Every structure is written in C-alpha cells, then in structure tokens.
Coordinates of all heavy atoms in Angstrom, one line a residue:
M1 N 109.1 107.8 55.9 CA 108.0 108.5 55.3 C 106.8 107.5 55.2 O 107.0 106.4 54.8 CB 108.4 109.0 53.9 CG 107.3 109.7 53.2 SD 107.9 110.3 51.7 CE 106.4 110.6 50.8
S2 N 105.7 108.0 55.6 CA 104.5 107.2 55.6 C 103.7 107.5 54.4 O 103.7 108.6 53.9 CB 103.7 107.4 56.9 OG 104.4 107.0 58.0
Y3 N 102.9 106.5 53.9 CA 102.0 106.7 52.8 C 100.6 106.6 53.2 O 100.2 105.8 54.0 CB 102.3 105.7 51.7 CG 103.7 105.9 51.1 CD1 104.8 105.1 51.6 CD2 103.9 106.8 50.1 CE1 106.0 105.2 51.1 CE2 105.2 107.0 49.6 CZ 106.2 106.2 50.1 OH 107.5 106.3 49.5
Y4 N 99.8 107.5 52.7 CA 98.4 107.6 53.1 C 97.5 107.6 51.8 O 98.0 108.0 50.7 CB 98.1 108.9 53.9 CG 98.8 109.0 55.2 CD1 100.0 109.7 55.2 CD2 98.4 108.4 56.3 CE1 100.7 109.8 56.4 CE2 99.1 108.5 57.5 CZ 100.3 109.2 57.5 OH 101.0 109.3 58.7
R5 N 96.3 107.2 52.0 CA 95.3 107.3 50.9 C 93.9 107.6 51.5 O 93.7 107.4 52.7 CB 95.3 106.1 50.0 CG 94.7 104.8 50.6 CD 94.7 103.7 49.6 NE 94.1 102.5 50.2 CZ 94.0 101.4 49.6 NH1 94.6 101.2 48.4 NH2 93.4 100.3 50.2
L6 N 93.0 108.0 50.6 CA 91.7 108.3 51.0 C 90.7 107.3 50.4 O 90.7 107.1 49.2 CB 91.3 109.7 50.5 CG 90.1 110.4 51.2 CD1 90.4 110.6 52.7 CD2 89.9 111.8 50.5
R7 N 90.0 106.6 51.3 CA 89.0 105.6 50.8 C 87.7 106.2 50.9 O 87.3 106.8 51.9 CB 89.1 104.3 51.7 CG 88.1 103.2 51.2 CD 88.2 102.0 52.1 NE 87.3 102.2 53.2 CZ 87.6 101.7 54.4 NH1 88.6 101.0 54.7 NH2 86.7 102.0 55.4
I8 N 86.9 106.1 49.8 CA 85.6 106.7 49.7 C 84.6 105.6 49.6 O 84.7 104.7 48.7 CB 85.5 107.6 48.5 CG1 86.6 108.7 48.5 CG2 84.1 108.2 48.4 CD1 86.8 109.4 47.2
E9 N 83.6 105.6 50.5 CA 82.5 104.6 50.4 C 81.2 105.4 50.1 O 80.9 106.4 50.7 CB 82.3 103.9 51.8 CG 83.5 103.0 52.1 CD 83.2 102.3 53.5 OE1 82.3 102.6 54.2 OE2 84.0 101.4 53.8
E10 N 80.5 104.9 49.1 CA 79.2 105.5 48.7 C 78.1 104.6 49.3 O 78.0 103.4 49.0 CB 79.1 105.7 47.2 CG 77.9 106.5 46.8 CD 78.0 106.9 45.4 OE1 79.0 106.8 44.7 OE2 76.9 107.3 44.9
L11 N 77.2 105.3 50.0 CA 76.1 104.5 50.6 C 74.9 104.4 49.6 O 74.9 105.1 48.5 CB 75.6 105.3 51.9 CG 76.7 105.5 52.9 CD1 76.1 106.3 54.1 CD2 77.2 104.1 53.4
G12 N 74.0 103.6 49.9 CA 72.8 103.4 49.0 C 72.0 104.7 48.8 O 71.4 104.8 47.7
N13 N 72.0 105.6 49.7 CA 71.2 106.8 49.5 C 72.0 107.9 48.9 O 71.6 109.1 48.7 CB 70.7 107.3 50.9 CG 71.8 107.6 51.9 OD1 73.0 107.5 51.6 ND2 71.4 108.1 53.1
G14 N 73.3 107.6 48.4 CA 74.1 108.6 47.7 C 75.1 109.4 48.6 O 75.9 110.1 48.1
D15 N 75.0 109.2 49.9 CA 75.9 109.9 50.8 C 77.3 109.2 50.7 O 77.4 108.0 50.3 CB 75.5 109.8 52.3 CG 74.2 110.7 52.5 OD1 74.0 111.6 51.7 OD2 73.6 110.4 53.5
K16 N 78.3 109.9 51.0 CA 79.7 109.4 50.9 C 80.3 109.5 52.2 O 80.1 110.4 53.0 CB 80.5 110.1 49.9 CG 80.0 109.9 48.4 CD 80.9 110.6 47.4 CE 80.4 110.4 46.0 NZ 81.3 111.0 45.0
R17 N 81.2 108.5 52.6 CA 82.0 108.5 53.8 C 83.5 108.4 53.3 O 83.8 107.7 52.4 CB 81.7 107.4 54.7 CG 80.3 107.5 55.3 CD 80.2 106.4 56.3 NE 78.8 106.4 56.8 CZ 78.2 105.4 57.3 NH1 78.8 104.2 57.4 NH2 76.9 105.5 57.8
Y18 N 84.3 109.2 54.0 CA 85.7 109.3 53.7 C 86.5 108.7 54.8 O 86.3 109.1 56.0 CB 86.1 110.7 53.4 CG 85.4 111.3 52.2 CD1 84.2 112.0 52.4 CD2 85.8 111.1 50.9 CE1 83.4 112.5 51.4 CE2 85.1 111.7 49.8 CZ 83.9 112.4 50.1 OH 83.2 112.9 49.1
Y19 N 87.5 107.8 54.5 CA 88.4 107.2 55.5 C 89.8 107.5 55.1 O 90.1 107.3 53.9 CB 88.1 105.7 55.6 CG 86.8 105.3 56.1 CD1 85.7 105.2 55.3 CD2 86.6 105.1 57.5 CE1 84.5 104.8 55.7 CE2 85.3 104.7 57.9 CZ 84.3 104.5 57.1 OH 83.0 104.2 57.5
I20 N 90.6 107.8 56.1 CA 92.1 107.9 55.8 C 92.7 106.6 56.2 O 92.5 106.1 57.3 CB 92.7 109.1 56.7 CG1 92.0 110.4 56.3 CG2 94.2 109.1 56.5 CD1 92.4 111.6 57.1
E21 N 93.5 106.1 55.3 CA 94.2 104.8 55.5 C 95.7 105.0 55.4 O 96.2 105.9 54.7 CB 93.8 103.8 54.4 CG 92.3 103.4 54.5 CD 92.0 102.3 53.5 OE1 92.6 102.2 52.4 OE2 91.0 101.6 53.7
K22 N 96.4 104.2 56.2 CA 97.9 104.3 56.2 C 98.5 103.0 55.8 O 98.0 101.9 56.1 CB 98.3 104.6 57.7 CG 99.8 104.8 57.8 CD 100.2 105.2 59.2 CE 101.7 105.5 59.4 NZ 102.0 105.9 60.7
A23 N 99.5 103.1 55.0 CA 100.2 101.9 54.5 C 101.1 101.3 55.5 O 101.8 102.1 56.2 CB 101.0 102.2 53.2
V24 N 101.1 100.0 55.7 CA 101.9 99.3 56.7 C 102.6 98.2 55.9 O 102.0 97.4 55.2 CB 101.1 98.7 57.8 CG1 101.9 97.9 58.8 CG2 100.3 99.8 58.5
L25 N 104.0 98.1 56.0 CA 104.7 97.1 55.4 C 104.7 95.9 56.3 O 105.0 95.9 57.5 CB 106.2 97.5 55.2 CG 107.1 96.5 54.6 CD1 106.7 96.2 53.2 CD2 108.5 97.0 54.6
V26 N 104.3 94.7 55.7 CA 104.2 93.5 56.4 C 105.2 92.5 55.8 O 105.3 92.3 54.6 CB 102.8 92.9 56.3 CG1 102.7 91.5 57.0 CG2 101.8 93.8 56.9
I27 N 106.1 92.0 56.7 CA 107.1 91.0 56.2 C 106.8 89.7 56.8 O 106.7 89.5 58.1 CB 108.5 91.5 56.6 CG1 108.8 92.8 56.0 CG2 109.6 90.4 56.2 CD1 110.1 93.5 56.5
T28 N 106.6 88.6 56.0 CA 106.4 87.3 56.5 C 107.6 86.5 56.2 O 108.2 86.5 55.1 CB 105.2 86.6 55.8 OG1 105.3 86.7 54.4 CG2 103.9 87.4 56.2
R29 N 108.0 85.7 57.2 CA 109.2 84.9 57.0 C 108.9 83.4 57.1 O 108.1 83.0 58.0 CB 110.3 85.2 58.0 CG 110.8 86.6 57.9 CD 112.0 86.9 58.8 NE 112.6 88.1 58.5 CZ 112.4 89.3 59.1 NH1 111.6 89.3 60.1 NH2 113.1 90.3 58.7
G30 N 109.4 82.6 56.2 CA 109.2 81.2 56.2 C 110.3 80.7 55.4 O 111.5 81.1 55.5
W31 N 110.0 79.7 54.5 CA 111.1 79.3 53.5 C 111.4 80.4 52.6 O 112.6 80.6 52.2 CB 110.6 78.1 52.7 CG 110.5 76.9 53.6 CD1 109.3 76.3 54.1 CD2 111.6 76.0 54.0 NE1 109.6 75.2 54.8 CE2 111.0 75.0 54.8 CE3 112.9 76.1 53.8 CZ2 111.8 74.0 55.4 CZ3 113.7 75.1 54.4 CH2 113.1 74.1 55.2
I32 N 110.4 81.2 52.3 CA 110.7 82.4 51.4 C 110.2 83.6 52.1 O 109.0 83.6 52.6 CB 109.9 82.2 50.0 CG1 110.4 81.0 49.3 CG2 110.1 83.4 49.2 CD1 109.6 80.6 48.1
Q33 N 111.0 84.6 52.2 CA 110.6 85.9 52.8 C 109.7 86.7 51.8 O 110.1 86.8 50.6 CB 111.8 86.7 53.2 CG 111.4 88.0 53.9 CD 112.7 88.7 54.4 OE1 113.7 88.2 54.6 NE2 112.5 90.0 54.5
Q34 N 108.6 87.2 52.3 CA 107.7 87.9 51.4 C 107.4 89.3 52.1 O 107.3 89.4 53.3 CB 106.4 87.2 51.2 CG 106.6 85.9 50.4 CD 105.2 85.1 50.3 OE1 104.3 85.4 51.0 NE2 105.2 84.2 49.4
Q35 N 107.2 90.3 51.2 CA 106.8 91.6 51.7 C 105.5 92.0 51.0 O 105.4 91.7 49.8 CB 107.9 92.6 51.4 CG 109.2 92.3 52.1 CD 110.2 93.4 51.7 OE1 110.0 94.3 50.9 NE2 111.4 93.3 52.2
R36 N 104.7 92.7 51.7 CA 103.5 93.2 51.1 C 103.0 94.5 51.9 O 103.4 94.6 53.0 CB 102.3 92.2 51.0 CG 101.8 91.8 52.4 CD 100.6 90.8 52.2 NE 100.0 90.5 53.5 CZ 100.4 89.7 54.4 NH1 101.6 89.0 54.2 NH2 99.8 89.5 55.5
I37 N 102.2 95.3 51.2 CA 101.7 96.5 51.9 C 100.3 96.3 52.2 O 99.5 95.9 51.3 CB 101.9 97.7 51.0 CG1 103.4 98.0 50.8 CG2 101.2 98.9 51.5 CD1 103.7 99.1 49.8
E38 N 99.9 96.5 53.4 CA 98.5 96.5 53.8 C 98.0 97.9 54.2 O 98.8 98.6 54.8 CB 98.3 95.5 55.1 CG 98.5 94.1 54.8 CD 98.2 93.2 56.0 OE1 97.9 93.7 57.0 OE2 98.4 92.0 55.8
W39 N 96.8 98.2 53.9 CA 96.3 99.5 54.2 C 95.4 99.4 55.4 O 94.4 98.6 55.4 CB 95.5 100.0 53.0 CG 96.4 100.4 51.8 CD1 96.7 99.5 50.8 CD2 97.1 101.6 51.6 NE1 97.5 100.2 49.9 CE2 97.8 101.4 50.4 CE3 97.2 102.8 52.3 CZ2 98.6 102.4 49.9 CZ3 98.0 103.8 51.8 CH2 98.7 103.6 50.6
K40 N 95.7 100.1 56.5 CA 95.0 100.0 57.7 C 94.2 101.3 57.9 O 94.7 102.4 57.6 CB 95.9 99.9 58.9 CG 96.8 98.7 58.8 CD 96.1 97.4 59.1 CE 97.0 96.2 59.1 NZ 96.4 95.0 59.5
D41 N 93.0 101.3 58.5 CA 92.2 102.5 58.8 C 93.0 103.3 59.8 O 93.5 102.8 60.8 CB 90.9 102.1 59.3 CG 89.9 101.7 58.2 OD1 90.2 101.9 57.0 OD2 88.8 101.1 58.5
Y42 N 93.1 104.6 59.5 CA 93.9 105.5 60.4 C 92.9 106.5 61.0 O 93.1 106.8 62.2 CB 95.0 106.2 59.6 CG 96.0 106.8 60.5 CD1 96.9 106.1 61.2 CD2 96.0 108.2 60.6 CE1 97.9 106.7 62.0 CE2 97.0 108.8 61.3 CZ 97.9 108.1 62.0 OH 98.8 108.7 62.8
A43 N 92.0 107.0 60.3 CA 91.0 108.0 60.8 C 89.8 108.0 60.0 O 89.8 107.6 58.8 CB 91.6 109.4 60.8
G44 N 88.7 108.3 60.6 CA 87.4 108.4 59.9 C 86.3 107.7 60.6 O 86.5 107.2 61.7
P45 N 85.1 107.8 60.2 CA 84.7 108.3 58.9 C 84.4 109.8 58.9 O 84.1 110.4 60.0 CB 83.4 107.5 58.6 CG 82.8 107.3 60.0 CD 84.1 107.1 60.9
F46 N 84.6 110.4 57.8 CA 84.3 111.9 57.6 C 83.2 112.0 56.6 O 83.1 111.2 55.7 CB 85.6 112.6 57.1 CG 86.7 112.6 58.0 CD1 87.8 111.7 57.8 CD2 86.8 113.4 59.1 CE1 88.9 111.7 58.7 CE2 87.9 113.4 60.0 CZ 88.9 112.5 59.7
T47 N 82.3 112.9 56.8 CA 81.2 113.1 55.9 C 81.5 114.1 54.7 O 80.9 114.0 53.7 CB 79.9 113.6 56.6 OG1 80.2 114.7 57.3 CG2 79.4 112.5 57.6
L48 N 82.5 115.0 55.0 CA 82.9 115.9 53.9 C 84.3 115.7 53.5 O 85.2 115.4 54.3 CB 82.8 117.4 54.5 CG 81.4 117.8 54.9 CD1 81.5 119.2 55.6 CD2 80.4 117.9 53.7
E49 N 84.5 115.8 52.2 CA 85.9 115.6 51.7 C 86.8 116.6 52.2 O 88.0 116.3 52.4 CB 85.8 115.6 50.1 CG 87.1 115.2 49.5 CD 87.1 115.1 48.0 OE1 86.0 115.4 47.4 OE2 88.1 114.8 47.4
E50 N 86.4 117.9 52.3 CA 87.3 118.9 52.8 C 87.8 118.6 54.2 O 88.9 118.9 54.5 CB 86.5 120.3 52.7 CG 86.2 120.8 51.4 CD 84.9 120.2 50.8 OE1 84.0 119.7 51.7 OE2 84.7 120.1 49.6
T51 N 86.9 118.1 55.0 CA 87.3 117.8 56.4 C 88.3 116.7 56.4 O 89.3 116.7 57.2 CB 86.0 117.3 57.2 OG1 85.0 118.3 57.1 CG2 86.4 117.1 58.7
A52 N 88.1 115.7 55.6 CA 89.1 114.5 55.5 C 90.4 115.0 55.0 O 91.5 114.6 55.5 CB 88.5 113.5 54.6
M53 N 90.4 115.9 54.0 CA 91.7 116.4 53.4 C 92.4 117.3 54.4 O 93.6 117.3 54.5 CB 91.4 117.2 52.1 CG 90.9 116.3 51.0 SD 92.0 114.9 50.6 CE 93.3 115.7 49.8
T54 N 91.7 118.1 55.2 CA 92.3 118.9 56.3 C 92.9 118.0 57.4 O 94.0 118.2 57.8 CB 91.2 119.8 56.9 OG1 90.6 120.6 55.9 CG2 91.8 120.7 58.0
A55 N 92.2 117.0 57.7 CA 92.7 116.0 58.7 C 93.9 115.3 58.2 O 94.9 115.1 58.9 CB 91.6 115.0 59.1
L56 N 93.9 114.9 56.9 CA 95.1 114.3 56.3 C 96.3 115.2 56.3 O 97.4 114.8 56.6 CB 94.8 113.8 54.9 CG 95.8 113.1 54.1 CD1 96.3 111.8 54.9 CD2 95.4 112.7 52.7
A57 N 96.1 116.5 56.0 CA 97.2 117.5 56.0 C 97.8 117.6 57.4 O 99.0 117.7 57.6 CB 96.7 118.8 55.5
N58 N 96.9 117.6 58.4 CA 97.4 117.7 59.8 C 98.2 116.4 60.2 O 99.2 116.5 60.9 CB 96.2 117.9 60.8 CG 95.6 119.3 60.6 OD1 96.2 120.2 60.1 ND2 94.3 119.4 61.0
I59 N 97.7 115.3 59.8 CA 98.4 114.0 60.1 C 99.8 114.0 59.4 O 100.7 113.6 60.0 CB 97.5 112.8 59.6 CG1 96.3 112.7 60.5 CG2 98.3 111.5 59.6 CD1 95.3 111.7 60.0
K60 N 99.8 114.5 58.2 CA 101.1 114.5 57.5 C 102.1 115.5 58.2 O 103.3 115.2 58.3 CB 101.0 114.9 56.0 CG 100.4 113.8 55.2 CD 100.3 114.2 53.7 CE 99.8 113.1 52.9 NZ 99.8 113.5 51.5
E61 N 101.6 116.7 58.7 CA 102.5 117.6 59.4 C 103.0 117.0 60.7 O 104.2 117.1 61.0 CB 101.7 118.9 59.7 CG 101.4 119.8 58.5 CD 100.6 121.0 58.9 OE1 100.3 121.2 60.1 OE2 100.2 121.7 57.9
E62 N 102.1 116.3 61.4 CA 102.5 115.6 62.7 C 103.6 114.5 62.4 O 104.5 114.4 63.1 CB 101.3 115.0 63.4 CG 100.4 116.1 64.0 CD 99.1 115.4 64.5 OE1 99.0 114.2 64.5 OE2 98.2 116.2 64.9
D63 N 103.3 113.8 61.3 CA 104.3 112.8 60.9 C 105.6 113.3 60.5 O 106.7 112.8 60.9 CB 103.7 112.0 59.7 CG 104.4 110.7 59.5 OD1 105.0 110.1 60.5 OD2 104.4 110.2 58.3
A64 N 105.6 114.5 59.8 CA 106.9 115.1 59.5 C 107.6 115.6 60.7 O 108.9 115.5 60.8 CB 106.7 116.3 58.5
A65 N 106.9 116.2 61.7 CA 107.5 116.7 62.9 C 108.1 115.5 63.7 O 109.2 115.6 64.3 CB 106.5 117.4 63.7
R66 N 107.4 114.4 63.8 CA 107.9 113.2 64.5 C 109.1 112.7 63.8 O 110.1 112.2 64.4 CB 106.8 112.2 64.5 CG 106.9 111.1 65.5 CD 105.7 110.2 65.6 NE 104.4 110.8 65.5 CZ 103.5 110.6 64.5 NH1 103.8 109.7 63.6 NH2 102.4 111.2 64.5
E67 N 109.1 112.7 62.5 CA 110.3 112.2 61.7 C 111.5 113.1 61.9 O 112.6 112.6 62.0 CB 109.9 112.1 60.2 CG 110.9 111.4 59.4 CD 110.9 109.9 59.6 OE1 109.9 109.4 60.0 OE2 111.9 109.3 59.3
A68 N 111.3 114.4 62.1 CA 112.4 115.3 62.3 C 113.1 115.1 63.7 O 114.3 115.3 63.8 CB 111.9 116.8 62.2
K69 N 112.3 114.6 64.7 CA 112.8 114.4 66.0 C 113.5 113.0 66.2 O 114.1 112.7 67.2 CB 111.7 114.5 67.0 CG 111.2 115.9 67.2 CD 110.1 116.0 68.2 CE 109.6 117.4 68.3 NZ 108.5 117.5 69.3
R70 N 113.3 112.2 65.1 CA 113.8 110.8 65.2 C 115.4 110.8 65.2 O 116.0 111.6 64.4 CB 113.3 110.0 64.1 CG 113.6 108.5 64.1 CD 112.9 107.7 63.0 NE 113.3 108.2 61.7 CZ 114.2 107.5 61.0 NH1 114.8 106.5 61.5 NH2 114.5 108.0 59.8
V71 N 116.0 109.9 66.0 CA 117.5 109.8 66.0 C 117.9 109.1 64.7 O 117.4 107.9 64.5 CB 117.9 109.1 67.2 CG1 119.4 108.9 67.2 CG2 117.5 109.9 68.5
V72 N 118.8 109.7 63.9 CA 119.2 109.1 62.7 C 120.6 108.4 62.9 O 120.8 107.3 62.4 CB 119.3 110.1 61.6 CG1 119.9 109.5 60.3 CG2 118.0 110.8 61.3
K73 N 121.4 109.0 63.7 CA 122.8 108.5 63.8 C 123.3 108.8 65.2 O 123.0 109.8 65.8 CB 123.7 109.2 62.8 CG 125.1 108.8 62.8 CD 125.8 109.6 61.7 CE 127.3 109.4 61.7 NZ 128.0 110.1 60.7
T74 N 124.0 107.8 65.8 CA 124.6 108.0 67.1 C 126.1 107.7 67.0 O 126.5 106.6 66.4 CB 124.0 107.0 68.1 OG1 122.6 107.2 68.1 CG2 124.5 107.2 69.5
T75 N 126.9 108.6 67.5 CA 128.3 108.3 67.5 C 128.9 108.4 68.9 O 128.2 109.1 69.8 CB 129.1 109.4 66.7 OG1 128.7 110.7 67.1 CG2 128.7 109.3 65.2
Y76 N 130.0 107.8 69.2 CA 130.6 107.8 70.5 C 132.0 108.3 70.4 O 132.7 108.1 69.4 CB 130.6 106.4 71.1 CG 129.2 105.8 71.3 CD1 128.6 105.0 70.3 CD2 128.5 106.1 72.5 CE1 127.3 104.5 70.5 CE2 127.3 105.6 72.7 CZ 126.7 104.8 71.7 OH 125.4 104.3 71.9
K77 N 132.5 109.0 71.4 CA 133.8 109.5 71.5 C 134.5 109.0 72.7 O 134.0 109.2 73.8 CB 133.8 111.0 71.4 CG 135.2 111.6 71.4 CD 135.1 113.1 71.3 CE 136.4 113.8 71.2 NZ 136.3 115.3 71.1
D78 N 135.7 108.4 72.6 CA 136.4 107.9 73.8 C 137.1 109.1 74.4 O 137.7 110.0 73.8 CB 137.5 106.9 73.4 CG 136.8 105.6 72.9 OD1 135.7 105.3 73.4 OD2 137.4 104.9 72.1
V79 N 137.0 109.2 75.7 CA 137.6 110.3 76.5 C 138.7 109.8 77.4 O 138.7 108.8 78.0 CB 136.5 111.0 77.3 CG1 137.1 112.2 78.1 CG2 135.4 111.4 76.5

C-alpha cells in the first residue's frame, strides 16, 4: 500500500498550486541501519483542488489494480 499527500503552495498573489506527493521508504545501511520516509513529487502542479483530488483518486485506483495483480505466493508441485 502506498501513501500519498497533497502539498499546497501559496504564491505571493494569492494563487495556490497543488502537488501530489508519494511516500518512499529509504533504508540506509552502515554501522547502524536507519529507515526514514521521504516524500517525492508524484504529480502536479494543479491549479484547482478538485482537479488534484480527482487525479489522486485515479492514482489510488491504479495503485490498487496494480497491487491486485502482484504475485503474493508461489508454490511448486513435484510431478
């Protein structure tokens, strides 16, 4: 399951821009293994919030369809 958020930037003239960001898990290994979540730009900019929310809903549907097709388990049978 992926996590998304909506980033809103307000310009000096009062206009707003909406960006869809996706969470990415980053694992660094050294003497101590560390995990952190980074937010990467996924789509945008959108000028209307409704457009951004519609795009986000479509992205979530595509992500769910992709997740449903993913192989979860493989078994073998000797013949």
Side-chain angles (χ1 to χ4, degrees):
M1 181 176 161
S2 299
Y3 295 97
Y4 300 95
R5 73 178 181 185
L6 198 61
R7 184 179 82 213
I8 304 167
E9 292 181 352
E10 188 169 346
L11 303 177
N13 60 0
D15 290 343
K16 292 183 180 179
R17 291 189 186 152
Y18 301 90
Y19 295 86
I20 297 173
E21 296 183 335
K22 184 176 182 178
V24 178
L25 179 64
V26 177
I27 300 173
T28 55
R29 293 187 170 102
W31 289 101
I32 299 172
Q33 181 176 336
Q34 296 178 343
Q35 298 179 359
R36 69 179 186 278
I37 295 176
E38 291 184 357
W39 293 93
K40 304 284 184 178
D41 283 345
Y42 194 73
F46 298 99
T47 54
L48 297 175
E49 185 176 3
E50 295 83 22
T51 309
M53 295 303 288
T54 304
L56 182 58
N58 292 338
I59 289 169
K60 285 184 178 182
E61 288 176 9
E62 291 172 4
D63 194 27
R66 199 174 320 118
E67 191 72 23
K69 292 180 182 179
R70 188 174 62 97
V71 176
V72 177
K73 181 179 175 181
T74 303
T75 56
Y76 296 93
K77 182 178 179 180
D78 291 332
V79 182

